[in-house]
Amino acid sequence: GSETKYFDFVVCACPLGVLKESIQANENSKETLSFMPPLPFSKVDAISNVGFGLLDKVYLTFPTAFWRQEGLFKGVDQCLFGNVSGVNPHHYMFFDIGRCLGSGENAPPI
């Protein structure tokens, strides 16, 4: 069925594909999610530009934390390092769980 509900604020937890379809759909289409009033440009732009992807997570343990050697990575954060994006300096490929569990020599090589 088709229902109309009215709210002052909404938290939308729809899949990205549904949101992308909703901003590309014809305003007269009843088959997709729609927002009234329409979403502001900043939200539409964000939905349009975010992409889909796959990211697998692997947890590894080593005898020593070789990646903690001074000078190995530029601008090393205590837990995040290894930015390979080149596009967004805040996207890191590696997370040093050991640094979050301990500090200095007490940080396990995880």
Side-chain angles (χ1 to χ4, degrees), residues 46-110:
I47 292 168
S48 297
N49 288 306
V50 72
F52 295 91
L54 173 67
L55 179 64
D56 292 323
K57 295 176 183 144
V58 178
Y59 297 89
L60 304 171
T61 303
F62 295 93
T64 61
F66 62 87
W67 58 91
R68 293 184 191 148
Q69 293 175 19
E70 192 172 326
L72 188 59
F73 293 101
K74 287 193 287 187
V76 177
D77 183 283
Q78 286 196 344
C79 294
L80 299 170
F81 63 95
N83 179 325
V84 295
S85 161
V87 176
N88 190 332
H90 305 293
H91 290 174
Y92 294 93
M93 296 303 295
F94 302 100
F95 182 73
D96 189 348
I97 296 171
R99 286 273 175 117
C100 296
L101 298 175
S103 62
E105 296 296 320
N106 295 327
I110 300 174

Coordinates of all heavy atoms in Angstrom, one line a residue, residues 46-110:
A46 N 25.8 14.4 -1.9 CA 26.5 13.4 -1.2 C 26.0 12.0 -1.6 O 26.8 11.1 -1.9 CB 26.2 13.5 0.3
I47 N 24.7 11.8 -1.8 CA 24.2 10.5 -2.2 C 24.6 10.2 -3.6 O 25.0 9.1 -3.9 CB 22.6 10.5 -2.2 CG1 22.1 10.6 -0.7 CG2 22.0 9.3 -2.8 CD1 20.7 10.9 -0.5
S48 N 24.7 11.2 -4.5 CA 25.1 11.0 -5.9 C 26.6 10.6 -6.0 O 27.0 9.8 -6.8 CB 24.9 12.3 -6.7 OG 23.6 12.6 -6.8
N49 N 27.4 11.1 -5.1 CA 28.9 11.0 -5.2 C 29.4 9.8 -4.4 O 30.6 9.4 -4.7 CB 29.6 12.2 -4.9 CG 29.4 13.3 -6.0 OD1 29.6 13.0 -7.1 ND2 28.9 14.4 -5.6
V50 N 28.7 9.3 -3.5 CA 29.2 8.1 -2.7 C 29.1 6.9 -3.6 O 28.1 6.7 -4.4 CB 28.6 8.0 -1.4 CG1 27.1 7.5 -1.5 CG2 29.3 7.1 -0.4
G51 N 30.0 6.0 -3.5 CA 30.0 4.8 -4.3 C 29.9 3.5 -3.5 O 29.9 3.5 -2.3
F52 N 29.7 2.4 -4.2 CA 29.6 1.1 -3.6 C 31.0 0.5 -3.7 O 31.8 0.8 -4.5 CB 28.7 0.2 -4.4 CG 27.2 0.7 -4.4 CD1 26.7 1.5 -5.4 CD2 26.4 0.2 -3.4 CE1 25.4 1.9 -5.4 CE2 25.1 0.6 -3.4 CZ 24.6 1.5 -4.4
G53 N 31.2 -0.4 -2.8 CA 32.5 -1.1 -2.8 C 32.6 -2.3 -1.9 O 31.7 -2.5 -1.1
L54 N 33.6 -3.0 -2.0 CA 33.9 -4.1 -1.1 C 35.2 -3.9 -0.4 O 36.2 -3.5 -0.9 CB 34.0 -5.4 -2.0 CG 34.3 -6.7 -1.2 CD1 33.2 -7.1 -0.3 CD2 34.6 -7.8 -2.2
L55 N 35.1 -4.2 0.9 CA 36.3 -4.1 1.7 C 36.3 -5.2 2.7 O 35.5 -5.4 3.5 CB 36.3 -2.7 2.5 CG 37.5 -2.5 3.4 CD1 38.8 -2.4 2.6 CD2 37.4 -1.3 4.2
D56 N 37.3 -6.1 2.5 CA 37.5 -7.2 3.4 C 38.4 -6.9 4.5 O 39.3 -6.1 4.3 CB 38.1 -8.4 2.6 CG 37.1 -9.0 1.6 OD1 35.9 -9.0 1.9 OD2 37.6 -9.4 0.5
K57 N 38.1 -7.4 5.7 CA 39.0 -7.1 6.8 C 39.7 -8.4 7.2 O 39.1 -9.5 7.3 CB 38.1 -6.6 8.0 CG 37.5 -5.3 7.7 CD 36.6 -4.9 8.8 CE 35.9 -3.6 8.4 NZ 34.6 -3.4 8.8
V58 N 41.0 -8.3 7.4 CA 41.8 -9.4 7.9 C 42.6 -9.0 9.1 O 43.2 -7.9 9.1 CB 42.8 -9.8 6.7 CG1 43.7 -10.9 7.2 CG2 42.0 -10.2 5.5
Y59 N 42.6 -9.8 10.1 CA 43.4 -9.5 11.3 C 44.6 -10.4 11.3 O 44.5 -11.6 11.3 CB 42.5 -9.7 12.6 CG 41.3 -8.7 12.6 CD1 40.1 -9.1 12.0 CD2 41.5 -7.5 13.2 CE1 39.1 -8.2 12.0 CE2 40.4 -6.6 13.2 CZ 39.2 -7.0 12.6 OH 38.2 -6.1 12.7
L60 N 45.8 -9.8 11.4 CA 47.0 -10.5 11.4 C 47.8 -10.2 12.7 O 47.8 -9.1 13.2 CB 47.9 -10.1 10.2 CG 47.2 -10.3 8.9 CD1 48.1 -9.6 7.8 CD2 47.0 -11.7 8.5
T61 N 48.5 -11.3 13.2 CA 49.4 -11.1 14.3 C 50.8 -11.5 13.8 O 51.0 -12.5 13.1 CB 49.0 -12.1 15.4 OG1 47.7 -11.8 15.8 CG2 49.9 -11.9 16.7
F62 N 51.8 -10.7 14.2 CA 53.2 -10.9 13.9 C 54.1 -11.0 15.1 O 53.7 -10.5 16.2 CB 53.7 -9.8 13.0 CG 53.0 -9.6 11.7 CD1 51.9 -8.8 11.5 CD2 53.5 -10.4 10.6 CE1 51.3 -8.7 10.3 CE2 52.9 -10.3 9.4 CZ 51.8 -9.4 9.2
P63 N 55.2 -11.7 15.0 CA 56.1 -11.7 16.2 C 56.6 -10.4 16.7 O 56.8 -10.1 17.9 CB 57.3 -12.6 15.7 CG 56.9 -13.2 14.4 CD 55.8 -12.4 13.9
T64 N 56.8 -9.4 15.7 CA 57.2 -8.1 16.1 C 56.3 -7.1 15.3 O 55.8 -7.4 14.2 CB 58.6 -7.8 15.8 OG1 58.9 -7.9 14.4 CG2 59.5 -8.7 16.6
A65 N 56.2 -5.9 15.8 CA 55.4 -4.8 15.1 C 56.4 -4.1 14.2 O 56.7 -2.9 14.4 CB 54.8 -3.9 16.1
F66 N 56.8 -4.7 13.0 CA 57.7 -4.1 12.1 C 57.2 -2.7 11.5 O 58.0 -1.9 11.2 CB 58.1 -5.0 11.0 CG 56.9 -5.4 10.1 CD1 56.5 -4.7 9.1 CD2 56.1 -6.6 10.5 CE1 55.4 -5.0 8.3 CE2 55.0 -6.9 9.7 CZ 54.7 -6.1 8.6
W67 N 55.9 -2.6 11.5 CA 55.3 -1.3 10.9 C 55.5 -0.1 11.8 O 55.2 1.0 11.4 CB 53.9 -1.6 10.5 CG 53.0 -2.0 11.7 CD1 52.4 -1.1 12.6 CD2 52.8 -3.3 12.2 NE1 51.7 -1.9 13.5 CE2 52.0 -3.2 13.3 CE3 53.2 -4.6 11.8 CZ2 51.6 -4.3 14.0 CZ3 52.8 -5.7 12.5 CH2 52.0 -5.5 13.6
R68 N 55.9 -0.3 13.0 CA 56.1 0.8 14.0 C 57.5 1.4 13.9 O 57.8 2.3 14.7 CB 55.8 0.3 15.4 CG 54.4 -0.1 15.6 CD 54.1 -0.4 17.0 NE 52.8 -1.0 17.2 CZ 52.4 -1.9 18.0 NH1 53.3 -2.4 18.9 NH2 51.2 -2.4 18.1
Q69 N 58.3 0.9 13.0 CA 59.7 1.5 12.8 C 59.6 3.0 12.5 O 58.8 3.4 11.6 CB 60.4 0.8 11.7 CG 60.8 -0.6 12.0 CD 61.4 -1.3 10.8 OE1 61.9 -0.7 9.9 NE2 61.4 -2.6 10.8
E70 N 60.4 3.8 13.1 CA 60.4 5.2 12.9 C 60.8 5.5 11.4 O 61.7 4.9 10.9 CB 61.4 5.9 13.8 CG 61.2 7.4 13.9 CD 62.1 8.0 14.9 OE1 62.2 7.4 16.0 OE2 62.5 9.1 14.7
G71 N 60.0 6.4 10.8 CA 60.2 6.8 9.4 C 59.7 5.9 8.4 O 59.8 6.2 7.2
L72 N 59.0 4.8 8.7 CA 58.5 3.9 7.7 C 57.3 4.5 7.1 O 57.1 4.3 5.8 CB 58.1 2.5 8.4 CG 57.7 1.4 7.5 CD1 58.8 1.0 6.5 CD2 57.3 0.2 8.3
F73 N 56.4 5.2 7.8 CA 55.2 5.8 7.2 C 55.3 7.3 7.6 O 55.6 7.7 8.7 CB 54.0 5.2 7.8 CG 53.7 3.8 7.4 CD1 54.0 2.7 8.2 CD2 53.3 3.5 6.1 CE1 53.8 1.4 7.8 CE2 53.1 2.2 5.7 CZ 53.3 1.2 6.6
K74 N 54.9 8.1 6.6 CA 54.9 9.6 6.9 C 53.6 9.9 7.7 O 52.6 9.4 7.4 CB 54.9 10.4 5.6 CG 56.2 10.4 4.9 CD 56.2 11.4 3.8 CE 55.4 11.0 2.6 NZ 55.5 11.9 1.5
G75 N 53.7 10.8 8.6 CA 52.5 11.3 9.3 C 51.8 10.2 10.0 O 50.6 10.1 10.0
V76 N 52.5 9.3 10.7 CA 51.9 8.1 11.3 C 51.0 8.5 12.5 O 51.5 9.2 13.4 CB 52.9 7.1 11.7 CG1 52.3 5.9 12.4 CG2 53.7 6.6 10.5
D77 N 49.8 8.1 12.5 CA 48.9 8.3 13.6 C 49.2 7.1 14.6 O 49.9 6.2 14.2 CB 47.5 8.2 13.1 CG 46.5 8.4 14.2 OD1 46.3 7.4 15.0 OD2 45.9 9.5 14.3
Q78 N 48.8 7.2 15.8 CA 49.1 6.1 16.7 C 48.4 4.8 16.3 O 49.0 3.7 16.5 CB 48.7 6.5 18.1 CG 49.6 7.5 18.7 CD 49.4 7.6 20.2 OE1 48.4 7.1 20.8 NE2 50.4 8.1 20.9
C79 N 47.2 4.9 15.7 CA 46.5 3.6 15.4 C 46.3 3.5 13.9 O 46.1 2.4 13.4 CB 45.2 3.6 16.1 SG 45.3 3.4 17.9
L80 N 46.2 4.6 13.1 CA 45.8 4.5 11.7 C 47.1 4.9 10.9 O 47.8 5.8 11.1 CB 44.7 5.5 11.4 CG 43.4 5.3 12.1 CD1 42.5 6.5 11.9 CD2 42.8 4.1 11.7
F81 N 47.3 4.1 9.8 CA 48.4 4.4 8.9 C 48.3 3.7 7.6 O 47.3 2.9 7.4 CB 49.8 4.0 9.6 CG 49.9 2.5 9.8 CD1 50.5 1.7 8.9 CD2 49.4 2.0 11.0 CE1 50.6 0.3 9.2 CE2 49.5 0.6 11.2 CZ 50.1 -0.2 10.3
G82 N 49.1 4.0 6.7 CA 49.1 3.3 5.4 C 48.0 3.9 4.4 O 47.3 3.1 3.8
N83 N 47.9 5.2 4.3 CA 47.0 5.7 3.3 C 47.5 5.5 1.9 O 48.5 5.9 1.5 CB 46.8 7.2 3.6 CG 45.9 7.9 2.6 OD1 45.8 7.5 1.4 ND2 45.2 8.9 3.1
V84 N 46.7 4.8 1.1 CA 47.1 4.5 -0.2 C 46.1 5.1 -1.2 O 46.3 4.9 -2.4 CB 47.1 2.9 -0.5 CG1 48.2 2.3 0.3 CG2 45.8 2.3 -0.2
S85 N 45.2 5.9 -0.7 CA 44.1 6.4 -1.6 C 44.7 7.5 -2.5 O 44.4 7.5 -3.7 CB 43.0 7.0 -0.7 OG 42.2 7.9 -1.4
G86 N 45.4 8.5 -2.0 CA 45.9 9.6 -2.7 C 44.8 10.6 -3.0 O 45.0 11.8 -3.3
V87 N 43.5 10.2 -2.8 CA 42.4 11.1 -3.0 C 41.9 11.7 -1.7 O 41.7 12.9 -1.6 CB 41.2 10.3 -3.7 CG1 40.0 11.2 -3.8 CG2 41.6 9.8 -5.0
N88 N 41.8 10.8 -0.7 CA 41.3 11.3 0.6 C 42.3 10.9 1.7 O 42.5 9.8 2.0 CB 39.9 10.7 1.0 CG 39.3 11.3 2.2 OD1 40.0 11.8 3.1 ND2 38.0 11.2 2.2
P89 N 43.0 11.9 2.3 CA 44.0 11.6 3.2 C 43.5 11.0 4.5 O 44.3 10.7 5.4 CB 44.6 13.0 3.5 CG 43.6 14.0 3.2 CD 42.8 13.4 2.1
H90 N 42.2 10.9 4.7 CA 41.7 10.3 5.9 C 41.3 8.8 5.7 O 40.7 8.3 6.6 CB 40.5 11.1 6.4 CG 40.8 12.6 6.5 ND1 41.7 13.0 7.5 CD2 40.5 13.7 5.8 CE1 41.9 14.3 7.4 NE2 41.1 14.7 6.4
H91 N 41.5 8.2 4.6 CA 41.2 6.8 4.4 C 42.5 6.0 4.6 O 43.4 6.1 3.7 CB 40.7 6.6 3.0 CG 39.3 7.2 2.8 ND1 38.7 7.2 1.6 CD2 38.4 7.8 3.6 CE1 37.5 7.8 1.7 NE2 37.3 8.1 2.9
Y92 N 42.5 5.2 5.6 CA 43.7 4.4 5.9 C 43.4 3.0 5.6 O 42.3 2.5 5.8 CB 44.1 4.6 7.4 CG 44.5 6.0 7.7 CD1 43.7 7.0 8.1 CD2 45.9 6.4 7.5 CE1 44.1 8.2 8.4 CE2 46.3 7.7 7.7 CZ 45.4 8.6 8.2 OH 45.8 9.9 8.5
M93 N 44.4 2.2 5.2 CA 44.2 0.8 4.9 C 44.6 -0.1 6.1 O 44.3 -1.2 6.1 CB 45.0 0.5 3.7 CG 44.6 1.1 2.4 SD 42.9 0.9 2.0 CE 42.9 -0.9 1.6
F94 N 45.3 0.5 7.0 CA 45.8 -0.3 8.2 C 45.4 0.3 9.5 O 45.4 1.6 9.6 CB 47.3 -0.5 8.1 CG 47.7 -1.1 6.8 CD1 48.2 -0.3 5.8 CD2 47.6 -2.5 6.6 CE1 48.6 -0.9 4.6 CE2 48.0 -3.1 5.4 CZ 48.5 -2.3 4.4
F95 N 45.0 -0.5 10.4 CA 44.7 -0.1 11.8 C 45.5 -0.9 12.7 O 45.4 -2.1 12.8 CB 43.2 -0.3 12.0 CG 42.6 0.1 13.3 CD1 42.5 1.5 13.6 CD2 42.3 -0.8 14.2 CE1 42.0 1.9 14.8 CE2 41.8 -0.4 15.5 CZ 41.7 1.0 15.7
D96 N 46.3 -0.2 13.5 CA 47.1 -0.9 14.5 C 46.3 -1.1 15.8 O 46.3 -0.3 16.7 CB 48.4 0.0 14.8 CG 49.4 -0.7 15.6 OD1 49.1 -1.8 16.2 OD2 50.5 -0.2 15.7
I97 N 45.7 -2.3 15.9 CA 44.9 -2.6 17.1 C 45.7 -2.7 18.3 O 45.3 -2.3 19.4 CB 44.2 -4.0 16.9 CG1 43.2 -3.9 15.7 CG2 43.4 -4.4 18.1 CD1 42.6 -5.2 15.3
G98 N 47.0 -3.1 18.2 CA 47.9 -3.2 19.3 C 48.1 -1.9 20.0 O 48.2 -1.8 21.2
R99 N 48.2 -0.8 19.2 CA 48.4 0.5 19.8 C 47.2 1.0 20.6 O 47.3 1.8 21.5 CB 48.7 1.6 18.7 CG 50.0 1.5 18.1 CD 51.0 2.3 18.9 NE 52.4 2.1 18.4 CZ 53.1 3.1 17.9 NH1 52.6 4.3 17.8 NH2 54.3 2.9 17.5
C100 N 46.0 0.5 20.2 CA 44.8 0.8 21.0 C 44.7 0.0 22.3 O 44.0 0.4 23.2 CB 43.6 0.6 20.1 SG 43.6 1.7 18.7
L101 N 45.4 -1.2 22.3 CA 45.3 -2.1 23.5 C 46.4 -1.8 24.5 O 46.3 -2.2 25.6 CB 45.4 -3.5 23.0 CG 44.2 -4.0 22.1 CD1 44.5 -5.4 21.6 CD2 42.9 -3.9 22.8
G102 N 47.5 -1.2 24.0 CA 48.6 -0.9 24.9 C 49.4 0.2 24.4 O 49.1 0.7 23.3
S103 N 50.4 0.7 25.1 CA 51.2 1.8 24.6 C 52.7 1.4 24.8 O 53.1 0.6 25.6 CB 50.9 3.1 25.4 OG 51.2 2.9 26.8
G104 N 53.5 2.0 23.9 CA 55.0 1.8 24.0 C 55.3 0.3 23.8 O 54.8 -0.3 22.9
E105 N 56.2 -0.2 24.6 CA 56.6 -1.6 24.5 C 55.5 -2.6 24.9 O 55.5 -3.7 24.6 CB 57.8 -1.8 25.5 CG 59.0 -1.0 25.1 CD 59.6 -1.4 23.7 OE1 59.6 -2.7 23.4 OE2 59.9 -0.6 22.9
N106 N 54.5 -2.1 25.6 CA 53.3 -2.9 26.0 C 52.3 -3.1 24.9 O 51.4 -3.9 25.1 CB 52.6 -2.4 27.2 CG 53.6 -2.4 28.4 OD1 54.4 -3.2 28.6 ND2 53.4 -1.4 29.3
A107 N 52.4 -2.5 23.8 CA 51.5 -2.6 22.7 C 51.8 -3.9 21.9 O 52.8 -4.1 21.3 CB 51.6 -1.4 21.7
P108 N 50.8 -4.8 21.9 CA 51.0 -6.1 21.2 C 51.1 -5.9 19.7 O 50.5 -5.0 19.2 CB 49.8 -6.9 21.6 CG 48.8 -6.0 22.1 CD 49.5 -4.7 22.6
P109 N 51.9 -6.8 19.0 CA 52.0 -6.7 17.5 C 50.8 -7.2 16.8 O 50.9 -8.3 16.1 CB 53.3 -7.4 17.3 CG 53.3 -8.5 18.3 CD 52.7 -7.8 19.5
I110 N 49.7 -6.6 16.9 CA 48.4 -7.0 16.3 C 48.0 -6.1 15.2 O 48.0 -4.9 15.4 CB 47.2 -7.1 17.3 CG1 47.6 -8.1 18.4 CG2 46.0 -7.5 16.6 CD1 46.6 -8.2 19.5

